[in-house]
Amino acid sequence: MKTYIKAATLLMVLLIVGCSEELNVFPEDSLSTSDLSESDIPTFENGVYENLKDAFIPFYILDFDGFGENFQYPFGPAPLQNILPTDGGLFDIWSGLYSAIFNANVLLEVASQYEGEEIDRALATGYFVRAYSYYNLVTRFGGVPLLPQNSTQPVPRASEAETWDFILNDLGQALQRAPNFSSPLFVSEPAINALLARTHLALGNMDQAASFAQSVIATNRFSFEEQYADVFLNDGGSELIFGLSNFEGDLEIWRAANATDFVPPGGASFTPRQDLFDTLFETGDPRREVTFIDFNGQLMLNKYSVNQTIPVLVSRISEMYLIRAEALGLNGGGLQPLNAIRIGRGLTEFSANDESEFQELVALERRRELFSEGFHFYDLVRTGRAVEELQFVTDINGTRLPIPQQEVDLAGLEQNPGY
């Protein structure tokens, strides 16, 4: 059966913003490509960033850490099977990411009519935002409709492999036009290489993953903060490769799990698992007190509690060291990048007797370093450990979100198995 996505779900919500790093936002009416000229491109480009940030709000730390059982909820872990195709939050994830894709396509269509350094930057932004939006879709839903251009015509649902190929192609296009790094709030060559490293790791392309991660490390622009807490206090500090500008209140959902200035009625809506609170971190690991807090007897996530305006973290240098370690493996020299993180956090270095033990250490360090940053569930999926380690996942069908029912009913998209 032919499947497609209705253009109605691709509502364009344009947010025109200023050109400063603060990205001050005020809403405008939706525009078409005919409404935009070359002089509008920098402003529209900033609006694309803001739209991508808005797409993150429904799921940023809740789903992959929740489904990966880093959190516990009032009635236990949060299995995917509890999510219904009719859930409004599910549609928010889908429509938010397609809104980001829609706006990226507008930017690409307009900017492709012109030439120049500023135009190349805008094109790199458009390709990157589209690729990153599809990365978030494919890791949650599997193959999805691909939109190289906005269209009102039926678009078949692509396979998962085709979706990954589309992402790689977009990142290649972005890299050809990549600007130098100027700020972690804007797309740059290191930001694109970081996402390429993550994508190749997901696909099992270990040589490419290690190479792209090293290209970011080798810039020597990013370094470990002396205090891990500074990553979550000072706009990502020297560790942030790319993030999305955030204003107080934009990510209010974090307050459901945080202690500072917030006492949730009846307790937090989700909390760190007690056993992880007790045993995940070694004695003396500075990441523990930054990650967790016991607030009046209530376990809380503490990473984002002090500074509600830090950027939405997309990529940090520690992830690049972790990717390189995993991709190289024990015999390929992976201990060096893994221990670089240990040294950077003031901890003793690891040793391993074989590849299996080494990869377990990498997985453990990823869970510690990136806790509540939206990685753990897909780490289990891509490494084939989800069925073994997660309580409610019994087969691969349990690792995909359902397609929103609105898309099944109105657009004829085939539902994922198990729903």
Side-chain angles (χ1 to χ4, degrees):
M1 179 178 67
K2 189 172 186 179
T3 59
Y4 59 93
I5 182 170
K6 284 286 187 180
T9 66
L10 304 178
L11 297 177
M12 174 181 173
V13 182
L14 173 63
L15 296 174
I16 300 296
V17 301
C19 295
S20 72
E21 287 190 6
E22 294 299 319
L23 302 184
N24 296 313
V25 179
F26 60 92
E28 285 284 320
D29 292 335
S30 297
L31 302 178
S32 69
T33 54
S34 62
D35 294 317
L36 299 172
S37 65
E38 184 175 7
S39 62
D40 296 316
I41 290 175
T43 304
F44 189 84
E45 180 184 355
N46 282 339
V48 168
Y49 284 118
E50 181 65 19
N51 190 223
L52 179 61
K53 188 275 302 285
D54 289 342
F56 265 71
I57 292 176
F59 65 85
Y60 175 57
I61 63 170
L62 297 183
D63 66 344
F64 276 179
D65 280 275
F67 301 146
E69 300 178 8
N70 275 342
F71 299 145
Q72 58 190 18
Y73 294 75
F75 303 104
L80 267 69
Q81 290 83 351
N82 282 354
I83 295 183
L84 300 175
T86 53
D87 282 351
L90 178 73
F91 185 72
D92 287 344
I93 294 172
W94 178 278
S95 61
L97 290 168
Y98 269 108
S99 176
I101 291 166
F102 188 87
N103 283 310
N105 280 347
V106 173
L107 178 62
L108 290 170
E109 182 178 345
V110 174
S112 64
Q113 303 173 51
Y114 307 101
E115 295 181 349
E117 184 175 332
E118 195 172 79
I119 297 303
D120 282 343
R121 186 195 71 183
L123 290 170
T125 299
Y127 282 117
F128 178 91
V129 168
R130 191 168 71 180
Y132 190 50
S133 298
Y134 273 117
Y135 174 89
N136 283 292
L137 284 164
V138 73
T139 55
R140 286 163 175 80
F141 298 99
V144 293
L146 300 177
L147 297 174
Q149 300 90 28
N150 292 333
S151 173
T152 59
Q153 299 303 309
V155 178
R157 185 178 176 185
S159 68
E160 188 168 335
E162 289 168 336
T163 305
W164 283 114
D165 286 345
F166 191 88
I167 292 166
L168 286 174
N169 181 71
D170 268 4
L171 291 175
Q173 293 291 333
L175 195 58
Q176 290 179 26
R177 302 163 173 85
N180 295 326
F181 181 90
S182 62
S183 163
L185 300 181
F186 298 96
V187 170
S188 64
E189 183 176 353
I192 298 165
N193 283 332
L195 186 53
L196 277 163
R198 186 186 299 178
T199 300
H200 281 294
L201 188 72
L203 293 171
N205 302 330
M206 295 308 189
D207 289 345
Q208 295 95 319
S211 177
F212 281 112
Q214 178 59 22
S215 70
V216 179
I217 295 168
T219 65
N220 294 319
R221 181 175 292 276
F222 311 99
S223 59
F224 295 108
E225 289 283 348
E226 289 187 14
Q227 301 295 325
Y228 182 66
D230 287 346
V231 178
F232 308 95
L233 294 174
N234 301 323
D235 298 331
S238 61
E239 300 198 15
L240 187 61
I241 302 167
F242 180 68
L244 297 165
S245 182
N246 172 36
F247 301 93
E248 188 167 5
D250 280 349
L251 297 178
E252 193 71 18
I253 190 68
W254 283 350
R255 290 187 179 269
N258 293 332
T260 303
D261 298 326
F262 181 75
V263 180
S269 60
F270 60 93
T271 66
R273 273 175 36 196
Q274 179 70 59
D275 62 316
L276 296 178
F277 187 91
D278 292 338
T279 65
L280 179 61
F281 293 100
E282 306 160 72
T283 301
D285 192 328
R287 295 172 296 187
R288 185 184 188 277
E289 65 182 20
V290 175
T291 303
F292 300 138
I293 189 172
D294 185 332
F295 183 70
N296 293 335
Q298 173 71 68
L299 304 187
M300 293 287 203
L301 175 65
N302 196 40
K303 267 189 175 179
Y304 312 103
S305 62
V306 177
N307 187 353
Q308 292 286 325
T309 63
I310 66 168
V312 178
L313 306 175
V314 173
S315 53
R316 296 198 285 118
I317 192 61
S318 57
E319 185 198 356
M320 297 301 103
Y321 282 95
L322 287 163
I323 287 175
R324 186 161 172 80
E326 182 177 340
L328 289 175
L330 178 62
N331 294 329
L335 263 176
Q336 189 278 327
L338 181 61
N339 281 328
I341 296 176
R342 302 284 297 174
I343 295 168
R345 302 305 179 211
L347 301 167
T348 58
E349 297 182 37
F350 280 143
S351 61
N353 295 315
D354 54 42
E355 184 66 22
S356 176
E357 181 183 355
F358 174 74
Q359 290 298 340
E360 287 180 6
L361 291 173
V362 173
L364 177 61
E365 202 65 10
R366 280 186 68 93
R367 194 173 197 180
R368 291 167 167 167
E369 178 72 21
L370 303 174
F371 193 96
S372 78
E373 294 180 43
F375 287 93
H376 185 57
F377 178 71
Y378 192 67
D379 281 348
L380 296 176
V381 173
R382 66 176 178 78
T383 57
R385 294 180 291 126
V387 174
E388 176 185 352
E389 296 192 19
L390 295 177
Q391 180 178 352
F392 290 99
V393 176
T394 58
D395 56 46
I396 192 64
N397 293 335
T399 65
R400 290 286 181 263
L401 288 170
I403 301 297
Q405 193 63 41
Q406 184 170 339
E407 296 301 324
V408 174
D409 294 340
L410 298 180
L413 293 185
E414 183 180 355
Q415 186 57 269
N416 280 330
Y419 295 100

